[in-house]
Amino acid sequence: MDRRAAPATLPALCAGLFAVFGASPAAGQEAGLTAADYNRAERFLSWHAETMVSGDEVSPEWFEDGRRFWYRNRLGEGHEFVFVDPASATRRQLFDHHRLAAAMSTADDTAYVGTKLPFDDFDFVDELQSIEFEARDRRFQCDIVRYACTVGDTLPSDAPYVESPDGRWEAFVVEHDLYLRPVGGGDSVRITTDGEEFWSYGLRYPRPNQVKRGDPRRPSLNWSPDSRRLVVERADERGVEHHHYISMTPQRPVHYSAPYALPGDSIIPYPGLHLITLDVPTADDGDGGSPMPSALSNVEVEFPARPLQSSFTGSVPDSAWSDDGTRLYVTSMTRAYKDAYLTEVDASTGSARVLAHETAKTYYEFSHGRRLTPASWYVLESGNVLWWSQRDGWGHLYLMGPDGEPTCQLTSGPWVASLVHHVDKDRGHVYFEGRGREEGRNVYFRHLYRVNLDGSGLTLLTPEDADHEITWSPAGDYFVDTYSRVEEAPVTVLRSVPDGRVVTELEHADVSRLVEEIDFRTAEVFTVKARDGVTDLYGILYLPPDLDPEAKYPIITHIYPGPQIGSVRGWNWKGSGEDFALAQLGFVVIQLDHLGTPHRSKAFHDNYYGDFNDNGIPDHVAAIRQLAARYPFIDLSRVGIYGHSGGGFATTDAMFRFPDFFHVGVAGAGNHDNATYNIYWAEKYQGELTRDSLTKETNFAEEANGSHAAGLVGKLLLMHGDMDDNVHPAMTTQVIDALIDENKDFDLIVAPDRAHSLNEPYFIRRRWDYFVEHLLGVDPPREYRITRPEGGP
């Protein structure tokens, strides 16, 4: 069976294209769309399409030895649990799924199916002997050798507890103070006594939706390797002004609030850290139990400069503490991300010594990697520091001496070194992700490299021309590599260290059902020139089915401006999503990583620093014009744009400031005025808020969408959840106020009791309807109901 999706037919279609002036709309677009058209499009949404794919995701769960693992493997409409022993290169089912289902059915008097076991995760009670998990609100313990299960009460969540490395203690927070108890429960002991509201140990004040849902909250802390110390975040939020929210669906509306610092605020959260040293008795108490620990000392970490944010973890798992637990390593950023520090903290006194310091005229980052990137740094036993920097204009790795000055640049050139995965101190190797080094390949593809600590021996370990998602083994001997391209489904292999040799193939995704059942065609990667006419930009093109090269199709750009990520998000396999669905309805759809997004040079990323009005929109205009010249079936008289959050901000910006180009926009939960958004993101990319001494205007005023509402000409739909505790709904209300002042027509959907995400069937359908009616120019099926499967992705 062919495992690869059918390729898009664009090259064949366009090989003999000629310019078509005054061409007619695509066949079927003159009449309205039907429920059957929407049903076909709906099947491309992730929660439907992913049930037609198997073997496309491997997320290893490592055993305590760090050398073996298991993972949950998708089997289309079912799943299996797989056990892997790298040493013997064996892969097998972790247990007999049908026998386990039978044992569960007998114990619970309920029918279970082996390929659809109702749990995703579990805990080993006895390694490879029995497991414990929650299913249908019941606690199961099942022997996977004899296949017998017992059923008990609901399994308590372990989310609030952080286990010590020696497996003896769990740390947790009650009210505002830190407590310890034996692992699994038992009497607890209070470790701190001075916690208070807005200045709690381990927990910041909860966001409104956390309170509303009653979410369990895991404290922010880290144990030392010997389990005798803890570093605990203690953020001081006293005096910080609040954002307020009203949940209006109850009969009596409910008020929530939480501290929320804005650009220009003088009182902002202080991310303090406390080091707690424990007195941990080792003798039993005579009744077979262990005596409880107590606090010997509680000291606050000294920072070299007042931090805006701090962290005590890096990208390498054992980066936080020295091996003997006497020294803690902490990174911190000053306001607006102008200065970054790595400090070594004496665990007994809290005093700090700066190991590395970096400044930036725009903003500093600790690496380019995933969306919420951990810092790429590591402190060696010699006192030297592995450090990531863009000081030469590209992200690279440096070795810093004990004096904080660079002694060696480990990587260099017009490409980006990013996330560090592992430091092999014995061999003197550093393993890291890099982008853009391999000539002739997509500059966004991640590859894994090895380099020596003296900068020699740079070696590519993942040779396939694809994007590589890496997961490292805790023991450092192996890594799991899932590689794919936008148009090629994932392959997952297990590789060995230090050479990257393939030990065994774990999965090869089967997407044949996508082709057979919904006539799936892959998306296409394209390149165009940026607004400057010189810089190459990369994007993804989604085409309607049965494309008629002599017809005309409206085009929609799906935008996320960044700057922390781009519109494409990831350059790996694309097998489902709303852009595919919109293409099924008769639209050409694109995503574009424009100037101002990450993973390339510092200059590329800094392109519109301090000018949020830009949003990368000039590059989208330039790209669509080039694509229309390349493919005459694209209709420049019908251009749409949509996005969410930052994409909602950019969509509204485009509709206001480029009214002659963009005709229809759908903006979800936009941060339309970043003076109302949080200081962490807004000040990083716009700079600190300043006020002109004469006009009294701030540097944030011009970038606010409300300032440009008079420019609206086309059709604009605004959507926002009224309990959005990320982007406050006030931002959309401010835009509404400005549009009313300008006497502009617009459309609005308020989503009651919804938080930031609006990825629900109703809001997706209304997006489709809006583009079908106003951009395609036909009637949508009335009140078509998109259905999301219960328990689906």
Side-chain angles (χ1 to χ4, degrees), residues 557-561 567 594 615-617 620 641-644 646-648 650-651:
T557 184
H558 181 188
I559 190 170
Y560 188 87
S567 298
H594 49 254
N615 271 314
I617 297 168
H620 289 254
I641 184 169
Y642 85 101
H644 187 78
T651 293

Side-chain angles (χ1 to χ4, degrees), residues 17-33:
L17 280 182
F18 54 90
V20 181
F21 297 98
S24 61
Q29 290 185 1
E30 301 88 345
L33 294 188

Side-chain angles (χ1 to χ4, degrees), residues 42-53 514 518 575-576:
E42 181 185 355
R43 299 192 71 192
F44 285 78
L45 296 176
S46 59
W47 50 70
H48 293 302
E50 287 180 2
T51 65
M52 305 177 205
V53 178
L514 283 176
I518 61 175
S576 62

Side-chain angles (χ1 to χ4, degrees), residues 58-60 314-317 365-376 388 416-422 431-433 435 444 446 448 467-472 479-482 563-566 569-570 572 598-599 605 684-685:
V58 176
S59 298
S315 59
V316 179
E365 296 189 291
F366 276 110
S367 74
H368 284 176
R370 300 180 180 89
R371 181 185 174 196
L372 300 175
T373 306
S376 284
W388 189 88
V416 176
S418 54
L419 199 64
V420 174
H421 281 279
H422 180 65
Y431 297 86
F432 66 95
E433 290 179 11
R435 302 174 190 247
Y444 292 101
R446 295 168 293 178
L448 188 76
D467 181 69
H468 294 258
E469 177 76 25
I470 304 298
T471 306
W472 210 267
F479 61 94
V480 175
D481 174 17
T482 299
Q564 78 279 20
I565 52 176
R569 305 293 177 103
N572 47 9
H599 308 311
H605 198 189
K684 181 175 184 178
Y685 299 116

Side-chain angles (χ1 to χ4, degrees), residues 475-748:
D477 298 332
Y478 301 94
F479 61 94
V480 175
D481 174 17
T482 299
Y483 60 88
S484 67
R485 300 164 63 103
V486 167
E487 66 278 14
E488 293 183 9
V491 176
T492 302
V493 296
L494 177 69
R495 296 184 187 269
S496 64
V497 174
D499 55 4
R501 176 182 58 86
V502 174
V503 176
T504 187
E505 181 179 294
L506 300 175
E507 301 295 337
H508 194 135
D510 185 345
V511 299
S512 56
R513 282 185 58 202
L514 283 176
V515 179
E516 295 163 2
E517 297 185 24
I518 61 175
D519 195 25
F520 178 83
R521 294 293 185 268
T522 61
E524 292 260 336
V525 174
F526 67 84
T527 59
V528 291
K529 296 298 181 183
R531 69 190 80 175
D532 60 11
V534 176
T535 307
D536 285 332
L537 300 180
Y538 290 71
I540 301 179
L541 181 68
Y542 303 82
L543 293 173
D546 304 319
L547 188 143
D548 179 358
E550 297 189 7
K552 284 288 191 178
Y553 295 84
I555 186 170
I556 298 170
T557 184
H558 181 188
I559 190 170
Y560 188 87
Q564 78 279 20
I565 52 176
S567 298
V568 175
R569 305 293 177 103
W571 287 88
N572 47 9
W573 161 249
K574 306 296 181 190
S576 62
E578 190 170 354
D579 294 329
F580 279 109
L582 283 168
Q584 294 298 307
L585 297 177
F587 301 99
V588 175
V589 184
I590 69 165
Q591 295 169 292
L592 178 74
D593 276 359
H594 49 254
L595 292 174
T597 53
H599 308 311
R600 296 177 69 171
S601 69
K602 176 64 172 170
F604 189 100
H605 198 189
D606 280 353
N607 182 72
Y608 64 88
Y609 172 78
D611 181 16
F612 273 142
N613 262 337
D614 186 289
N615 271 314
I617 297 168
D619 293 320
H620 289 254
V621 173
I624 292 171
R625 290 192 187 281
Q626 291 170 67
L627 290 171
R630 194 178 301 172
Y631 309 126
F633 54 77
I634 293 175
D635 186 354
L636 285 181
S637 71
R638 294 183 291 168
V639 180
I641 184 169
Y642 85 101
H644 187 78
S645 192
F649 170 40
T651 293
T652 307
D653 184 15
M655 294 297 296
F656 288 177
R657 296 195 306 111
F658 295 83
D660 295 334
F661 190 82
F662 293 101
H663 308 105
V664 181
V666 180
N671 50 313
H672 299 289
D673 181 357
N674 287 291
T676 309
Y677 197 41
N678 73 73
I679 56 170
Y680 306 104
W681 191 86
E683 288 189 350
K684 181 175 184 178
Y685 299 116
Q686 181 72 10
E688 289 194 63
L689 185 142
T690 59
R691 192 177 301 276
D692 187 278
S693 59
L694 296 177
T695 66
K696 306 303 180 185
E697 287 288 312
T698 74
N699 56 321
F700 279 71
E702 172 63 19
E703 58 79 34
N705 278 335
S707 301
H708 307 282
L712 179 63
V713 174
K715 300 293 293 186
L716 174 63
L717 171 61
L718 301 168
M719 297 195 290
H720 214 126
D722 68 355
M723 281 294 294
D724 187 339
D725 55 11
N726 178 4
V727 176
H728 198 284
M731 293 200 224
T732 291
T733 302
Q734 292 161 8
V735 171
I736 293 169
D737 189 44
L739 287 166
I740 291 171
D741 283 347
E742 298 293 344
N743 196 34
K744 294 293 182 178
D745 292 338
F746 63 95
D747 294 290
L748 172 68

